[in-house]
Amino acid sequence: MKRLIGLWGLWLVCGWGIVAGQGRPPERDTVRLPVWPVERHALSVWAGNISVKEGFNYGLVFNGPQLNLRYALHWTAGRFDFSYNPELAVGVPLSRGMAAVNLQITPVELAFQAAVFQTDRHRLQVGGDVAARYRYQAYPDLQNAHLFWFGEIGLSLRLRYTYRWHGGSLCLRWSNSLLGFVSHTSVNPPYFYSLKLADFVVQPHRHLQFGSFNRYDRTAVQIEYAPAALARHSFGIGLAYTGYCGEVRYQTLNTYLSWRKTF
């Protein structure tokens, strides 16, 4: 599934952009579109469903609502765009009447993108990001509230294609992990309960292992619509997949609707 999501996202970003610029006569607009806006700050809210399959949970898949809050600070240098994107998410997935808690924290995500193709209507940007991402789960009814975690410190590839017209714009975003260090819960001792702050900080950094697609995969795809060329609000739909391929497997899939405010 993770390979299909990654390939579908890459095809969507690249293929859709090529098709959008072909098959129609030259444009004869008498009014030139505004220059590409420069964003300084952005706040995003994602509301959707999170599915979590933890290898320690006897094959159970927990599904439920999740809310993501994401902030972005942008700055530019010529055709290069840089951003700092911290994120916080809280979900309450359920399975067979049992509730769980899913917490995601991204304290550091430094992204960079360069415009490799740009006209009044089309812009294709390629880049990457360096980030530290942490996920925590607790299953009080199933695992005695034992803290499970997945930590990632790694490098990812990013693609962003934007097509705009006088009435609005469409933006396609795709990203996929390339390589990094990851850590996942390795043991589940019985009758264990610990939710100290030290557990959230120390545990994900224990037994970090270096790898690429042989160790983990994280793929994200998003389609975003802005109702006007210089609109401060935009709306989107997307999905984000994370998979760990260690001895004890771990997978999550988040599908969501998004609202984004720039200022």
Side-chain angles (χ1 to χ4, degrees):
M1 181 180 68
K2 63 184 179 183
R3 295 293 182 221
L4 292 177
I5 292 174
L7 292 175
W8 176 80
L10 182 59
W11 174 85
L12 186 62
V13 173
C14 296
W16 193 87
I18 295 173
V19 173
Q22 298 178 349
R24 57 176 178 271
E27 298 162 356
R28 301 181 180 275
D29 295 339
T30 58
V31 179
R32 190 177 180 85
L33 285 171
V35 297
W36 290 91
V38 178
E39 298 176 357
R40 296 302 181 189
H41 307 273
L43 179 64
S44 300
V45 179
W46 301 352
N49 179 82
I50 183 72
S51 299
V52 181
K53 186 175 182 180
E54 168 61 60
F56 285 105
N57 287 342
Y58 316 106
L60 295 178
V61 178
F62 283 73
N63 297 280
Q66 176 161 293
L67 184 68
N68 296 50
L69 298 177
R70 183 179 179 87
Y71 169 75
L73 171 63
H74 294 265
W75 64 97
T76 60
R79 300 178 74 88
F80 292 90
D81 179 25
F82 302 90
S83 63
Y84 168 61
N85 310 288
E87 183 178 353
L88 174 66
V90 179
V92 185
L94 307 168
S95 181
R96 299 187 180 181
M98 296 178 290
V101 177
N102 182 67
L103 177 64
Q104 299 176 203
I105 302 175
T106 303
V108 177
E109 183 184 281
L110 297 174
F112 53 94
Q113 297 179 128
V116 297
F117 175 77
Q118 180 171 309
T119 67
D120 287 345
R121 295 184 180 274
H122 307 272
R123 181 165 65 173
L124 177 63
Q125 296 171 286
V126 179
D129 67 64
V130 177
R133 302 178 177 91
Y134 306 97
R135 300 166 182 264
Y136 307 92
Q137 293 86 36
Y139 307 91
D141 298 324
L142 184 64
Q143 301 287 1
N144 298 305
H146 176 63
L147 180 66
F148 294 83
W149 68 84
F150 174 76
E152 173 201 352
I153 302 175
L155 174 68
S156 302
L157 173 67
R158 285 173 169 245
L159 294 176
R160 176 178 176 176
Y161 171 75
T162 306
Y163 171 72
R164 66 176 186 169
W165 60 96
H166 289 296
S169 65
L170 279 177
C171 179
L172 306 179
R173 294 184 178 91
W174 173 88
S175 68
N176 205 104
S177 58
L178 289 179
L179 51 87
F181 295 89
V182 292
S183 173
H184 179 247
T185 310
S186 58
V187 295
N188 182 22
Y191 310 111
F192 176 81
Y193 183 94
S194 178
L195 294 177
K196 302 188 301 294
L197 178 61
D199 293 327
F200 289 86
V201 177
V202 175
Q203 296 292 358
H205 296 99
R206 286 184 174 178
H207 311 298
L208 285 169
Q209 297 178 314
F210 180 79
S212 183
F213 297 107
N214 64 317
R215 183 69 59 182
Y216 77 107
D217 183 39
R218 180 181 45 76
T219 303
V221 181
Q222 184 186 46
I223 304 176
E224 190 175 69
Y225 168 72
L230 297 178
R232 294 293 185 177
H233 300 268
S234 58
F235 309 90
I237 183 172
L239 62 85
Y241 169 84
T242 298
Y244 174 72
C245 307
E247 182 178 352
V248 181
R249 295 181 63 88
Y250 166 81
Q251 294 174 295
T252 68
L253 178 63
N254 183 19
T255 55
Y256 60 87
L257 299 175
S258 67
W259 169 77
R260 188 167 183 260
K261 165 69 174 177
T262 60
F263 49 93

